Amino acid sequence: MVFMKQPIKIIDLFSGPGGLGEGFSALKDADGNSPFKISISIEKEKSAYRTLKLRAFFRQFDGNAPKEYYDFLKGKLGKTPEEQLYQLPEFAIQVSAADAEAQNLELGKDNKIINRKISDSVGESECILIGGPPCQAYSLAGNRSNKNYDPTLDPRNFLYKEYLKVIAQFQPTLFVMENVKGMLSAKVNGESIYETIFSDLHNPCESVKTKPKRGRKKHSYKILSLEVPLSADEKIKPKDFVVYSELHGIPQRRHRVILIGVRDDLYPNVKDIRLTKNEELTSIRDVLSDLPALRSGLSKITNTDENWVSNIQNDVKETIKSLRVNNQIEIADEIELTYKSIGIPTDKQGRVFSLQRTSSIKKKELRDWFYDKKLGKYITNHETRGHLTSDLQRYLFCSVWGGVSNRLNWSSRSPKSKDYPEYLIPQHKNFKSGKFADRFRVQPWDLPATTITCHISKDGHYYIHPDPLQCRSLTVREAARIQTFPDNYFFVGNRTEQYVQVGNAVPPLLANKIAKVVSGILV
Protein backbone atom coordinates (compact mmCIF):
# COMPACT_ATOMS: atom_id res chain seq x y z
CA MET A 1 0.00 0.00 0.00
CA VAL A 2 1.73 3.22 -1.18
CA PHE A 3 0.28 6.62 -0.35
CA MET A 4 3.21 8.91 -1.03
CA LYS A 5 3.07 9.39 -4.83
CA GLN A 6 0.97 12.46 -4.04
CA PRO A 7 1.13 14.33 -0.71
CA ILE A 8 -1.27 12.71 1.72
CA LYS A 9 -3.99 15.05 2.92
CA ILE A 10 -4.14 16.12 6.56
CA ILE A 11 -7.18 17.00 8.66
CA ASP A 12 -5.97 19.14 11.58
CA LEU A 13 -8.45 19.46 14.46
CA PHE A 14 -8.13 21.70 17.54
CA SER A 15 -5.28 23.32 15.62
CA GLY A 16 -4.38 26.23 17.89
CA PRO A 17 -1.83 28.39 16.03
CA GLY A 18 -0.77 25.32 14.03
CA GLY A 19 2.24 23.75 15.77
CA LEU A 20 1.39 20.14 14.93
CA GLY A 21 0.42 21.02 11.36
CA GLU A 22 3.61 23.04 10.91
CA GLY A 23 5.75 20.04 11.80
CA PHE A 24 3.99 17.85 9.24
CA SER A 25 3.85 20.40 6.44
CA ALA A 26 7.53 21.34 6.90
CA LEU A 27 8.73 17.76 6.35
CA LYS A 28 10.59 17.27 3.07
CA ASP A 29 11.83 14.09 1.42
CA ALA A 30 15.27 13.65 -0.19
CA ASP A 31 14.03 15.39 -3.36
CA GLY A 32 12.65 18.37 -1.43
CA ASN A 33 9.03 17.32 -1.85
CA SER A 34 6.45 17.41 0.95
CA PRO A 35 4.90 14.01 1.82
CA PHE A 36 2.02 15.82 3.56
CA LYS A 37 -0.41 18.60 2.73
CA ILE A 38 -2.70 20.33 5.23
CA SER A 39 -6.15 20.17 3.62
CA ILE A 40 -8.10 21.73 6.45
CA SER A 41 -7.38 23.12 9.94
CA ILE A 42 -10.15 23.73 12.46
CA GLU A 43 -9.70 26.20 15.35
CA LYS A 44 -12.43 27.95 17.36
CA GLU A 45 -10.37 30.71 19.03
CA LYS A 46 -10.28 33.79 16.77
CA SER A 47 -6.71 35.01 17.31
CA ALA A 48 -5.24 31.50 16.94
CA TYR A 49 -7.30 31.09 13.77
CA ARG A 50 -5.84 34.33 12.39
CA THR A 51 -2.33 33.01 13.03
CA LEU A 52 -3.33 29.72 11.43
CA LYS A 53 -4.64 31.51 8.33
CA LEU A 54 -1.44 33.52 7.95
CA ARG A 55 0.59 30.30 8.04
CA ALA A 56 -1.78 28.71 5.54
CA PHE A 57 -1.14 31.72 3.29
CA PHE A 58 2.63 31.24 3.70
CA ARG A 59 2.31 27.57 2.72
CA GLN A 60 0.56 28.37 -0.56
CA PHE A 61 3.93 29.40 -1.99
CA ASP A 62 5.57 26.00 -1.34
CA GLY A 63 8.63 27.33 0.46
CA ASN A 64 9.06 30.36 -1.80
CA ALA A 65 6.97 33.04 -0.08
CA PRO A 66 7.02 36.43 -1.83
CA LYS A 67 8.91 39.54 -0.78
CA GLU A 68 5.65 41.06 0.45
CA TYR A 69 5.28 38.37 3.14
CA TYR A 70 8.70 39.30 4.51
CA ASP A 71 7.91 42.99 4.16
CA PHE A 72 4.98 42.35 6.50
CA LEU A 73 7.29 40.59 9.00
CA LYS A 74 9.61 43.59 8.81
CA GLY A 75 6.77 45.95 9.68
CA LYS A 76 6.39 47.50 6.22
CA LEU A 77 2.83 46.35 5.50
CA GLY A 78 0.78 47.31 8.55
CA LYS A 79 0.36 45.70 11.95
CA THR A 80 -1.88 42.80 10.91
CA PRO A 81 -1.97 40.66 7.75
CA GLU A 82 -5.58 41.69 7.17
CA GLU A 83 -4.58 45.35 6.96
CA GLN A 84 -2.54 45.26 3.72
CA LEU A 85 -1.00 41.88 2.91
CA TYR A 86 -4.30 40.09 2.24
CA GLN A 87 -5.54 43.08 0.24
CA LEU A 88 -2.84 42.84 -2.44
CA PRO A 89 -4.62 41.75 -5.67
CA GLU A 90 -1.71 39.60 -6.88
CA PHE A 91 -2.25 37.25 -3.93
CA ALA A 92 -6.04 36.87 -4.17
CA ILE A 93 -5.74 33.19 -5.14
CA GLN A 94 -3.44 32.37 -2.21
CA VAL A 95 -5.61 34.28 0.27
CA SER A 96 -8.66 32.38 -0.98
CA ALA A 97 -6.80 29.07 -0.59
CA ALA A 98 -5.75 30.04 2.95
CA ASP A 99 -9.38 30.88 3.72
CA ALA A 100 -10.41 27.41 2.58
CA GLU A 101 -7.67 25.68 4.56
CA ALA A 102 -7.97 27.51 7.91
CA GLN A 103 -11.45 27.42 9.43
CA ASN A 104 -12.68 29.39 12.44
CA LEU A 105 -15.17 26.74 13.62
CA GLU A 106 -15.90 24.81 16.81
CA LEU A 107 -16.12 21.03 16.93
CA GLY A 108 -19.25 19.96 18.79
CA LYS A 109 -21.04 23.16 17.81
CA ASP A 110 -20.45 23.54 14.07
CA ASN A 111 -20.33 19.84 13.19
CA LYS A 112 -22.47 20.00 10.04
CA ILE A 113 -20.35 22.75 8.51
CA ILE A 114 -17.13 21.04 9.61
CA ASN A 115 -18.15 17.69 8.12
CA ARG A 116 -19.06 19.31 4.82
CA LYS A 117 -15.81 21.28 4.66
CA ILE A 118 -13.70 18.22 5.52
CA SER A 119 -15.53 16.26 2.81
CA ASP A 120 -14.91 19.05 0.30
CA SER A 121 -11.21 19.29 1.21
CA VAL A 122 -10.24 15.60 1.23
CA GLY A 123 -12.84 14.12 -1.13
CA GLU A 124 -12.38 10.34 -1.27
CA SER A 125 -8.58 10.57 -0.93
CA GLU A 126 -6.69 8.79 1.80
CA CYS A 127 -5.96 11.14 4.70
CA ILE A 128 -4.50 11.34 8.17
CA LEU A 129 -5.93 13.13 11.20
CA ILE A 130 -3.86 15.16 13.66
CA GLY A 131 -4.70 17.19 16.76
CA GLY A 132 -5.81 16.69 20.33
CA PRO A 133 -9.01 17.72 22.13
CA PRO A 134 -8.54 20.66 24.56
CA CYS A 135 -6.66 19.40 27.57
CA GLN A 136 -7.69 21.70 30.44
CA ALA A 137 -10.27 19.25 31.76
CA TYR A 138 -7.56 16.61 32.24
CA SER A 139 -5.01 19.01 33.73
CA LEU A 140 -3.54 18.01 37.07
CA ALA A 141 -2.94 21.68 37.85
CA GLY A 142 -6.33 22.97 36.72
CA ASN A 143 -9.94 22.05 37.41
CA ARG A 144 -9.15 18.65 38.92
CA SER A 145 -7.56 20.33 41.94
CA ASN A 146 -10.88 22.09 42.64
CA LYS A 147 -12.97 20.09 45.15
CA ASN A 148 -16.19 21.39 43.59
CA TYR A 149 -15.18 20.36 40.07
CA ASP A 150 -17.64 17.93 38.49
CA PRO A 151 -16.06 16.24 35.43
CA THR A 152 -19.45 15.00 34.20
CA LEU A 153 -20.52 18.64 33.69
CA ASP A 154 -17.37 19.68 31.83
CA PRO A 155 -17.99 19.39 28.06
CA ARG A 156 -14.23 19.37 27.41
CA ASN A 157 -14.05 15.87 28.90
CA PHE A 158 -16.14 14.61 26.00
CA LEU A 159 -14.75 16.59 23.09
CA TYR A 160 -12.70 13.56 22.14
CA LYS A 161 -16.06 12.00 21.12
CA GLU A 162 -16.26 14.65 18.39
CA TYR A 163 -12.71 13.70 17.41
CA LEU A 164 -13.83 10.06 17.25
CA LYS A 165 -16.74 10.94 14.97
CA VAL A 166 -14.33 12.43 12.46
CA ILE A 167 -12.18 9.27 12.60
CA ALA A 168 -15.30 7.11 12.18
CA GLN A 169 -16.56 9.07 9.18
CA PHE A 170 -13.30 9.63 7.30
CA GLN A 171 -11.37 6.48 8.30
CA PRO A 172 -7.89 8.08 8.16
CA THR A 173 -4.99 5.73 7.53
CA LEU A 174 -3.46 7.04 10.73
CA PHE A 175 -4.16 9.60 13.45
CA VAL A 176 -1.95 11.51 15.89
CA MET A 177 -3.62 12.56 19.13
CA GLU A 178 -1.87 14.76 21.69
CA ASN A 179 -2.93 15.50 25.27
CA VAL A 180 -1.67 16.22 28.78
CA LYS A 181 -0.40 13.49 31.11
CA GLY A 182 -3.43 14.07 33.33
CA MET A 183 -5.49 12.21 30.76
CA LEU A 184 -3.89 8.98 32.00
CA SER A 185 -5.22 9.41 35.54
CA ALA A 186 -8.43 11.40 35.05
CA LYS A 187 -11.72 9.74 35.97
CA VAL A 188 -15.40 10.39 35.26
CA ASN A 189 -17.96 8.58 37.42
CA GLY A 190 -15.12 6.51 38.85
CA GLU A 191 -14.09 5.21 35.43
CA SER A 192 -10.68 5.87 33.93
CA ILE A 193 -10.83 8.27 30.99
CA TYR A 194 -7.67 6.63 29.65
CA GLU A 195 -9.29 3.16 29.46
CA THR A 196 -12.43 4.57 27.85
CA ILE A 197 -10.52 6.59 25.27
CA PHE A 198 -8.31 3.67 24.30
CA SER A 199 -11.27 1.38 23.91
CA ASP A 200 -13.11 3.98 21.85
CA LEU A 201 -10.12 4.77 19.63
CA HIS A 202 -9.68 1.09 18.84
CA ASN A 203 -13.13 0.94 17.22
CA PRO A 204 -14.42 4.49 16.56
CA CYS A 205 -17.51 3.53 14.54
CA GLU A 206 -18.85 1.35 17.36
CA SER A 207 -18.02 3.80 20.16
CA VAL A 208 -19.86 6.77 18.61
CA LYS A 209 -22.42 4.81 16.53
CA THR A 210 -21.29 6.50 13.34
CA LYS A 211 -20.87 5.02 9.86
CA PRO A 212 -18.02 5.83 7.46
CA LYS A 213 -18.69 8.28 4.65
CA ARG A 214 -19.71 6.79 1.31
CA GLY A 215 -16.71 5.25 -0.45
CA ARG A 216 -14.84 4.55 2.80
CA LYS A 217 -14.63 1.19 4.59
CA LYS A 218 -15.02 0.62 8.32
CA HIS A 219 -11.76 -0.15 10.15
CA SER A 220 -10.38 -0.58 13.64
CA TYR A 221 -7.12 0.97 14.88
CA LYS A 222 -4.03 -0.17 16.73
CA ILE A 223 -2.75 2.42 19.23
CA LEU A 224 1.05 2.68 19.28
CA SER A 225 3.68 4.42 21.39
CA LEU A 226 6.47 6.67 20.13
CA GLU A 227 8.65 5.84 23.14
CA VAL A 228 8.64 2.03 23.48
CA PRO A 229 9.28 -0.70 20.88
CA LEU A 230 6.47 -2.69 19.32
CA SER A 231 5.83 -5.89 21.22
CA ALA A 232 3.24 -8.56 20.56
CA ASP A 233 3.81 -10.14 23.97
CA GLU A 234 3.60 -7.22 26.36
CA LYS A 235 0.75 -4.77 26.81
CA ILE A 236 1.80 -1.13 26.53
CA LYS A 237 1.40 0.69 29.84
CA PRO A 238 -0.24 4.15 30.06
CA LYS A 239 3.07 5.84 30.92
CA ASP A 240 4.59 4.45 27.71
CA PHE A 241 2.56 6.95 25.71
CA VAL A 242 4.21 9.95 27.38
CA VAL A 243 6.67 11.67 25.04
CA TYR A 244 9.52 13.50 26.81
CA SER A 245 10.30 16.41 24.50
CA GLU A 246 13.72 17.21 25.96
CA LEU A 247 14.97 13.75 24.95
CA HIS A 248 14.24 14.56 21.33
CA GLY A 249 16.09 17.86 20.90
CA ILE A 250 13.36 20.22 22.14
CA PRO A 251 14.63 22.92 24.59
CA GLN A 252 11.80 22.21 26.99
CA ARG A 253 10.84 19.55 29.53
CA ARG A 254 7.40 19.17 28.02
CA HIS A 255 5.80 15.79 28.78
CA ARG A 256 2.67 15.00 26.81
CA VAL A 257 0.64 11.93 25.88
CA ILE A 258 0.94 11.34 22.14
CA LEU A 259 -0.99 8.42 20.64
CA ILE A 260 -0.43 7.09 17.14
CA GLY A 261 -3.45 5.22 15.82
CA VAL A 262 -2.71 3.00 12.81
CA ARG A 263 -5.55 1.58 10.71
CA ASP A 264 -5.87 -2.21 10.83
CA ASP A 265 -5.11 -2.74 7.11
CA LEU A 266 -1.85 -0.81 7.47
CA TYR A 267 -0.74 -2.12 10.86
CA PRO A 268 0.73 -5.50 9.75
CA ASN A 269 3.41 -3.61 7.79
CA VAL A 270 4.36 -1.29 10.67
CA LYS A 271 7.78 -1.68 12.21
CA ASP A 272 9.38 0.19 15.10
CA ILE A 273 8.03 3.76 15.29
CA ARG A 274 10.09 5.04 18.21
CA LEU A 275 11.35 8.61 18.05
CA THR A 276 15.13 8.91 17.93
CA LYS A 277 16.68 10.30 21.10
CA ASN A 278 19.22 13.11 20.87
CA GLU A 279 22.64 12.54 22.37
CA GLU A 280 22.55 15.79 24.34
CA LEU A 281 19.88 18.10 25.68
CA THR A 282 19.06 21.39 23.98
CA SER A 283 19.33 24.27 26.44
CA ILE A 284 17.81 27.72 26.75
CA ARG A 285 21.15 29.17 25.66
CA ASP A 286 21.02 27.12 22.46
CA VAL A 287 17.83 28.86 21.33
CA LEU A 288 17.81 32.30 23.00
CA SER A 289 21.40 33.56 23.00
CA ASP A 290 21.11 35.26 19.58
CA LEU A 291 18.13 37.43 20.55
CA PRO A 292 18.67 41.06 21.61
CA ALA A 293 18.66 41.94 25.31
CA LEU A 294 15.62 43.91 26.47
CA ARG A 295 14.34 45.61 29.60
CA SER A 296 10.89 44.98 31.01
CA GLY A 297 8.17 47.56 31.05
CA LEU A 298 7.03 49.13 34.33
CA SER A 299 3.56 48.77 35.83
CA LYS A 300 1.95 51.41 38.05
CA ILE A 301 4.78 53.94 37.65
CA THR A 302 5.99 55.98 34.67
CA ASN A 303 7.49 53.55 32.18
CA THR A 304 10.83 55.11 31.24
CA ASP A 305 14.29 53.60 30.70
CA GLU A 306 15.72 55.73 33.50
CA ASN A 307 12.98 54.69 35.96
CA TRP A 308 13.64 51.03 35.17
CA VAL A 309 17.38 51.28 35.89
CA SER A 310 17.07 53.55 38.93
CA ASN A 311 14.36 51.43 40.57
CA ILE A 312 16.44 48.27 40.25
CA GLN A 313 19.64 49.91 41.46
CA ASN A 314 17.99 51.76 44.36
CA ASP A 315 16.03 48.76 45.62
CA VAL A 316 18.89 46.28 45.23
CA LYS A 317 20.63 47.51 48.38
CA GLU A 318 17.74 46.27 50.52
CA THR A 319 17.77 42.97 48.61
CA ILE A 320 21.50 42.46 49.31
CA LYS A 321 21.08 43.43 52.97
CA SER A 322 18.16 41.01 53.42
CA LEU A 323 20.11 38.18 51.72
CA ARG A 324 23.09 38.68 54.04
CA VAL A 325 20.81 38.60 57.09
CA ASN A 326 19.44 35.34 55.67
CA ASN A 327 23.01 34.01 55.33
CA GLN A 328 22.66 33.71 51.53
CA ILE A 329 26.16 35.07 51.01
CA GLU A 330 26.84 33.61 47.54
CA ILE A 331 23.68 35.15 46.07
CA ALA A 332 24.26 38.48 47.81
CA ASP A 333 27.85 38.65 46.53
CA GLU A 334 26.81 37.84 42.97
CA ILE A 335 24.04 40.46 42.96
CA GLU A 336 26.52 43.01 44.32
CA LEU A 337 28.87 42.22 41.44
CA THR A 338 26.03 42.33 38.89
CA TYR A 339 23.71 45.21 39.63
CA LYS A 340 26.05 48.07 38.69
CA SER A 341 26.24 46.64 35.15
CA ILE A 342 22.47 46.89 34.67
CA GLY A 343 21.83 49.54 32.03
CA ILE A 344 19.40 50.47 29.29
CA PRO A 345 19.50 47.81 26.54
CA THR A 346 20.04 49.09 23.00
CA ASP A 347 16.64 47.77 21.90
CA LYS A 348 14.90 48.89 25.11
CA GLN A 349 11.59 46.98 25.41
CA GLY A 350 11.82 45.50 21.94
CA ARG A 351 9.17 45.64 19.23
CA VAL A 352 6.63 43.45 17.47
CA PHE A 353 8.30 44.25 14.12
CA SER A 354 11.66 45.39 12.67
CA LEU A 355 13.93 44.07 15.43
CA GLN A 356 17.02 42.06 14.47
CA ARG A 357 19.04 39.21 15.95
CA THR A 358 22.39 40.20 17.47
CA SER A 359 24.25 36.94 16.74
CA SER A 360 23.63 33.41 15.41
CA ILE A 361 22.59 30.09 16.93
CA LYS A 362 25.55 27.71 17.12
CA LYS A 363 23.86 24.35 16.44
CA LYS A 364 23.28 23.76 12.71
CA GLU A 365 20.06 21.75 13.18
CA LEU A 366 18.55 24.64 15.10
CA ARG A 367 19.84 27.31 12.69
CA ASP A 368 18.34 25.42 9.78
CA TRP A 369 15.04 25.08 11.61
CA PHE A 370 14.61 28.63 12.99
CA TYR A 371 16.21 30.83 10.34
CA ASP A 372 14.91 31.87 6.94
CA LYS A 373 17.42 33.39 4.50
CA LYS A 374 14.74 35.63 3.03
CA LEU A 375 13.96 37.04 6.47
CA GLY A 376 17.63 37.64 7.26
CA LYS A 377 18.22 38.66 10.88
CA TYR A 378 14.74 40.08 11.40
CA ILE A 379 12.56 38.74 14.22
CA THR A 380 9.00 39.48 15.32
CA ASN A 381 6.91 39.32 18.52
CA HIS A 382 9.97 40.20 20.67
CA GLU A 383 8.52 42.83 22.99
CA THR A 384 8.44 42.78 26.79
CA ARG A 385 5.49 43.33 29.07
CA GLY A 386 5.31 45.48 32.19
CA HIS A 387 6.27 44.31 35.68
CA LEU A 388 5.81 45.75 39.15
CA THR A 389 9.02 47.30 40.48
CA SER A 390 8.91 44.95 43.49
CA ASP A 391 8.93 41.97 41.11
CA LEU A 392 12.05 43.24 39.35
CA GLN A 393 14.07 42.44 42.49
CA ARG A 394 12.58 38.95 42.64
CA TYR A 395 13.45 38.43 38.97
CA LEU A 396 17.01 39.60 39.66
CA PHE A 397 17.25 37.25 42.65
CA CYS A 398 15.94 34.29 40.64
CA SER A 399 18.15 34.83 37.59
CA VAL A 400 21.27 35.22 39.75
CA TRP A 401 20.30 32.04 41.62
CA GLY A 402 20.08 30.22 38.27
CA GLY A 403 23.73 31.05 37.52
CA VAL A 404 25.14 30.56 41.04
CA SER A 405 23.33 27.24 41.49
CA ASN A 406 24.98 25.96 38.32
CA ARG A 407 28.45 27.07 39.39
CA LEU A 408 28.11 25.61 42.89
CA ASN A 409 26.19 22.46 41.84
CA TRP A 410 23.12 23.18 43.94
CA SER A 411 20.27 20.72 43.50
CA SER A 412 17.69 23.50 43.31
CA ARG A 413 18.21 25.51 40.12
CA SER A 414 15.52 28.08 40.95
CA PRO A 415 14.73 29.34 44.46
CA LYS A 416 11.72 27.96 46.30
CA SER A 417 9.47 30.17 48.43
CA LYS A 418 11.38 29.07 51.54
CA ASP A 419 14.58 30.53 50.05
CA TYR A 420 13.29 34.09 49.81
CA PRO A 421 14.75 36.64 52.24
CA GLU A 422 12.29 38.83 54.15
CA TYR A 423 12.59 41.81 51.78
CA LEU A 424 11.62 39.74 48.73
CA ILE A 425 8.62 37.89 50.17
CA PRO A 426 5.55 39.07 48.20
CA GLN A 427 2.26 40.04 49.83
CA HIS A 428 0.62 36.68 49.14
CA LYS A 429 -1.03 34.98 52.09
CA ASN A 430 0.06 31.47 51.11
CA PHE A 431 3.51 32.23 49.73
CA LYS A 432 5.33 30.33 52.48
CA SER A 433 2.79 27.48 52.66
CA GLY A 434 4.67 25.38 50.11
CA LYS A 435 1.65 25.27 47.83
CA PHE A 436 3.17 27.96 45.61
CA ALA A 437 6.83 27.09 46.14
CA ASP A 438 7.61 27.83 42.48
CA ARG A 439 5.55 30.98 42.09
CA PHE A 440 8.69 32.62 40.69
CA ARG A 441 10.86 30.42 38.51
CA VAL A 442 13.94 31.21 36.45
CA GLN A 443 14.72 29.24 33.29
CA PRO A 444 18.51 28.64 33.63
CA TRP A 445 20.74 29.10 30.59
CA ASP A 446 22.20 25.59 30.67
CA LEU A 447 18.96 23.56 30.88
CA PRO A 448 15.87 22.94 28.76
CA ALA A 449 12.99 25.12 29.98
CA THR A 450 10.12 23.86 32.07
CA THR A 451 6.88 23.41 30.12
CA ILE A 452 5.64 26.49 28.32
CA THR A 453 1.90 26.62 29.02
CA CYS A 454 -0.81 29.20 28.38
CA HIS A 455 -0.25 30.40 31.98
CA ILE A 456 2.65 32.43 30.55
CA SER A 457 -0.05 34.88 29.44
CA LYS A 458 -0.88 35.73 33.07
CA ASP A 459 2.19 37.29 34.69
CA GLY A 460 5.39 35.61 33.50
CA HIS A 461 6.56 34.69 37.03
CA TYR A 462 7.15 31.06 36.01
CA TYR A 463 9.19 32.14 33.00
CA ILE A 464 11.95 34.47 34.20
CA HIS A 465 14.73 35.21 31.72
CA PRO A 466 18.12 33.81 32.87
CA ASP A 467 20.06 37.04 32.27
CA PRO A 468 20.24 39.10 35.52
CA LEU A 469 20.87 42.25 33.48
CA GLN A 470 17.39 42.04 31.93
CA CYS A 471 15.17 41.46 35.03
CA ARG A 472 12.10 40.31 33.13
CA SER A 473 9.95 37.43 31.93
CA LEU A 474 10.17 35.86 28.48
CA THR A 475 8.81 37.58 25.39
CA VAL A 476 6.42 35.86 22.98
CA ARG A 477 9.31 35.23 20.56
CA GLU A 478 11.45 33.67 23.29
CA ALA A 479 8.56 31.42 24.33
CA ALA A 480 8.04 30.59 20.64
CA ARG A 481 11.74 29.70 20.28
CA ILE A 482 11.47 27.35 23.28
CA GLN A 483 8.39 25.87 21.60
CA THR A 484 10.49 25.65 18.37
CA PHE A 485 8.39 27.87 16.11
CA PRO A 486 10.48 29.12 13.15
CA ASP A 487 11.31 32.83 13.12
CA ASN A 488 9.13 33.40 10.04
CA TYR A 489 6.08 32.28 12.05
CA PHE A 490 4.13 35.38 13.11
CA PHE A 491 1.58 35.33 15.94
CA VAL A 492 -1.48 37.47 15.29
CA GLY A 493 -3.54 39.09 18.05
CA ASN A 494 -2.72 41.08 21.16
CA ARG A 495 0.24 40.00 23.29
CA THR A 496 -1.86 38.05 25.80
CA GLU A 497 -3.48 36.13 22.94
CA GLN A 498 -0.06 35.46 21.41
CA TYR A 499 1.22 33.99 24.69
CA VAL A 500 -1.84 31.73 24.94
CA GLN A 501 -1.32 30.51 21.38
CA VAL A 502 2.33 29.66 21.98
CA GLY A 503 1.62 27.96 25.31
CA ASN A 504 -1.15 25.76 23.89
CA ALA A 505 0.83 24.55 20.88
CA VAL A 506 2.65 21.31 20.11
CA PRO A 507 6.36 22.12 19.47
CA PRO A 508 6.66 22.14 15.64
CA LEU A 509 10.15 20.59 15.66
CA LEU A 510 8.83 17.66 17.72
CA ALA A 511 5.86 17.41 15.35
CA ASN A 512 8.31 17.35 12.45
CA LYS A 513 10.10 14.37 13.98
CA ILE A 514 6.76 12.62 14.51
CA ALA A 515 5.88 13.38 10.88
CA LYS A 516 9.09 11.69 9.76
CA VAL A 517 8.10 8.54 11.69
CA VAL A 518 4.60 8.69 10.23
CA SER A 519 5.91 9.08 6.67
CA GLY A 520 7.92 5.89 7.21
CA ILE A 521 4.72 4.03 8.06
CA LEU A 522 2.88 5.25 4.98
CA VAL A 523 5.52 4.40 2.37
Side-chain angles (χ1 to χ4, degrees), residues 326-370:
N326 216 35
N327 202 33
Q328 291 172 292
I329 308 303
E330 298 92 346
I331 302 294
D333 287 349
E334 187 66 24
I335 290 179
E336 195 140 41
L337 285 170
T338 301
Y339 86 91
K340 291 177 184 176
S341 299
I342 294 174
I344 303 166
T346 302
D347 289 301
K348 302 188 177 183
Q349 276 190 257
R351 292 182 294 281
V352 174
F353 299 100
S354 72
L355 212 59
Q356 296 192 46
R357 292 186 280 109
T358 52
S359 61
S360 291
I361 289 171
K362 291 182 179 179
K363 292 184 176 180
K364 184 179 184 303
E365 180 195 15
L366 296 174
R367 282 200 311 273
D368 291 347
W369 180 257
F370 286 116

Side-chain angles (χ1 to χ4, degrees), residues 5 163 187 219 280 389:
K5 289 179 181 177
Y163 187 88
K187 292 185 177 182
H219 291 278
E280 58 182 38
T389 54

Side-chain angles (χ1 to χ4, degrees), residues 190-201:
E191 291 189 13
S192 165
I193 284 181
Y194 157 77
E195 295 288 352
T196 303
I197 287 177
F198 269 60
S199 174
D200 290 346
L201 287 172

Side-chain angles (χ1 to χ4, degrees), residues 109 131 188 268 271 286 310 384 421:
K109 178 183 174 185
V188 173
K271 298 177 182 177
D286 290 330
S310 63
T384 62

Side-chain angles (χ1 to χ4, degrees), residues 395-406:
Y395 286 14
L396 175 62
F397 168 61
C398 288
S399 55
V400 165
W401 183 293
V404 171
S405 62
N406 183 34

Side-chain angles (χ1 to χ4, degrees), residues 21 41 45 60 64 72 92 125 139 145 151 195 205 210 222 232 235 238 241 267 307 330 368 380 383 443-444 515 518:
S41 300
E45 203 280 312
Q60 302 310 312
N64 192 27
F72 169 68
S125 302
S139 173
S145 60
E195 295 288 352
C205 289
T210 301
K222 182 78 172 179
K235 186 179 179 182
F241 291 100
Y267 174 67
N307 267 354
E330 298 92 346
D368 291 347
T380 62
E383 180 183 51
Q443 304 294 336
V518 168

